[in-house]
PDB file of all heavy atoms in Angstrom:
ATOM      1  N   ASN A  65     129.980  92.237  96.180  1.00  0.00           N
ATOM      2  CA  ASN A  65     129.467  90.927  96.562  1.00  0.00           C
ATOM      3  C   ASN A  65     130.579  89.956  96.923  1.00  0.00           C
ATOM      4  O   ASN A  65     131.519  89.787  96.147  1.00  0.00           O
ATOM      5  CB  ASN A  65     128.626  90.348  95.417  1.00  0.00           C
ATOM      6  CG  ASN A  65     127.745  89.243  95.954  1.00  0.00           C
ATOM      7  OD1 ASN A  65     128.240  88.160  96.219  1.00  0.00           O
ATOM      8  ND2 ASN A  65     126.481  89.556  96.168  1.00  0.00           N
ATOM      9  N   ASP A  97     127.089  92.041 100.140  1.00  0.00           N
ATOM     10  CA  ASP A  97     126.278  90.902 100.532  1.00  0.00           C
ATOM     11  C   ASP A  97     127.228  89.786 100.957  1.00  0.00           C
ATOM     12  O   ASP A  97     128.426  89.812 100.645  1.00  0.00           O
ATOM     13  CB  ASP A  97     125.400  90.453  99.356  1.00  0.00           C
ATOM     14  CG  ASP A  97     124.274  89.534  99.835  1.00  0.00           C
ATOM     15  OD1 ASP A  97     124.146  89.349 101.061  1.00  0.00           O
ATOM     16  OD2 ASP A  97     123.555  89.001  98.994  1.00  0.00           O
ATOM     17  N   GLN A 102     124.266  84.086  96.189  1.00  0.00           N
ATOM     18  CA  GLN A 102     124.896  83.794  94.899  1.00  0.00           C
ATOM     19  C   GLN A 102     125.402  82.364  94.844  1.00  0.00           C
ATOM     20  O   GLN A 102     125.347  81.728  93.794  1.00  0.00           O
ATOM     21  CB  GLN A 102     126.058  84.750  94.628  1.00  0.00           C
ATOM     22  CG  GLN A 102     125.624  86.024  93.981  1.00  0.00           C
ATOM     23  CD  GLN A 102     124.905  86.922  94.939  1.00  0.00           C
ATOM     24  OE1 GLN A 102     125.161  86.871  96.146  1.00  0.00           O
ATOM     25  NE2 GLN A 102     123.982  87.714  94.446  1.00  0.00           N
ATOM     26  N   ASP A 151     123.718  83.718 105.375  1.00  0.00           N
ATOM     27  CA  ASP A 151     122.376  83.187 105.637  1.00  0.00           C
ATOM     28  C   ASP A 151     122.021  82.179 104.552  1.00  0.00           C
ATOM     29  O   ASP A 151     122.713  82.046 103.554  1.00  0.00           O
ATOM     30  CB  ASP A 151     121.354  84.331 105.629  1.00  0.00           C
ATOM     31  CG  ASP A 151     121.311  85.067 104.294  1.00  0.00           C
ATOM     32  OD1 ASP A 151     122.372  85.135 103.638  1.00  0.00           O
ATOM     33  OD2 ASP A 151     120.247  85.549 103.903  1.00  0.00           O
ATOM     34  N   GLY A 225     115.112  86.536 101.793  1.00  0.00           N
ATOM     35  CA  GLY A 225     114.199  85.463 101.429  1.00  0.00           C
ATOM     36  C   GLY A 225     112.992  85.898 100.628  1.00  0.00           C
ATOM     37  O   GLY A 225     112.030  85.169 100.463  1.00  0.00           O
ATOM     38  N   LEU A 226     113.049  87.152 100.125  1.00  0.00           N
ATOM     39  CA  LEU A 226     111.945  87.633  99.260  1.00  0.00           C
ATOM     40  C   LEU A 226     112.519  88.031  97.904  1.00  0.00           C
ATOM     41  O   LEU A 226     113.733  87.984  97.696  1.00  0.00           O
ATOM     42  CB  LEU A 226     111.230  88.805  99.942  1.00  0.00           C
ATOM     43  CG  LEU A 226     110.479  88.430 101.227  1.00  0.00           C
ATOM     44  CD1 LEU A 226     109.925  89.686 101.909  1.00  0.00           C
ATOM     45  CD2 LEU A 226     109.342  87.445 100.946  1.00  0.00           C
ATOM     46  N   ALA A 227     111.631  88.453  96.989  1.00  0.00           N
ATOM     47  CA  ALA A 227     112.055  88.732  95.603  1.00  0.00           C
ATOM     48  C   ALA A 227     112.742  87.490  95.034  1.00  0.00           C
ATOM     49  O   ALA A 227     113.793  87.578  94.386  1.00  0.00           O
ATOM     50  CB  ALA A 227     112.992  89.939  95.558  1.00  0.00           C
TER      51      ALA A 227
HETATM   52  C1  LIG B   1     116.891  89.487  93.444  1.00  0.00           C
HETATM   53  N1  LIG B   1     116.193  89.019  94.604  1.00  0.00           N
HETATM   54  C2  LIG B   1     116.892  88.771  95.733  1.00  0.00           C
HETATM   55  N2  LIG B   1     118.214  89.012  95.874  1.00  0.00           N
HETATM   56  C3  LIG B   1     118.506  88.576  97.130  1.00  0.00           C
HETATM   57  C4  LIG B   1     119.740  88.542  97.782  1.00  0.00           C
HETATM   58  C5  LIG B   1     120.989  88.940  97.038  1.00  0.00           C
HETATM   59  C6  LIG B   1     121.144  90.320  96.797  1.00  0.00           C
HETATM   60  C7  LIG B   1     122.497  90.434  96.090  1.00  0.00           C
HETATM   61  O1  LIG B   1     122.518  89.789  94.821  1.00  0.00           O
HETATM   62  C8  LIG B   1     123.250  90.553  93.894  1.00  0.00           C
HETATM   63  O2  LIG B   1     122.427  90.941  92.837  1.00  0.00           O
HETATM   64  C9  LIG B   1     122.124  89.840  91.980  1.00  0.00           C
HETATM   65  C10 LIG B   1     123.707  91.751  94.609  1.00  0.00           C
HETATM   66  O3  LIG B   1     125.048  91.594  94.992  1.00  0.00           O
HETATM   67  C11 LIG B   1     125.778  92.776  94.830  1.00  0.00           C
HETATM   68  C12 LIG B   1     122.831  91.830  95.843  1.00  0.00           C
HETATM   69  O4  LIG B   1     123.523  92.243  96.989  1.00  0.00           O
HETATM   70  C13 LIG B   1     119.804  87.997  99.090  1.00  0.00           C
HETATM   71  N3  LIG B   1     121.021  87.954  99.744  1.00  0.00           N
HETATM   72  C14 LIG B   1     121.083  87.367 100.963  1.00  0.00           C
HETATM   73  N4  LIG B   1     122.259  87.296 101.622  1.00  0.00           N
HETATM   74  N5  LIG B   1     119.985  86.847 101.594  1.00  0.00           N
HETATM   75  C15 LIG B   1     118.749  86.894 101.013  1.00  0.00           C
HETATM   76  O5  LIG B   1     117.769  86.396 101.599  1.00  0.00           O
HETATM   77  C16 LIG B   1     118.627  87.498  99.705  1.00  0.00           C
HETATM   78  C17 LIG B   1     117.380  87.573  99.051  1.00  0.00           C
HETATM   79  C18 LIG B   1     117.344  88.102  97.744  1.00  0.00           C
HETATM   80  N6  LIG B   1     116.331  88.249  96.860  1.00  0.00           N
END
Side-chain angles (χ1 to χ4, degrees):
N65 198 285
D97 196 5
Q102 274 73 28
D151 60 329
L226 294 174

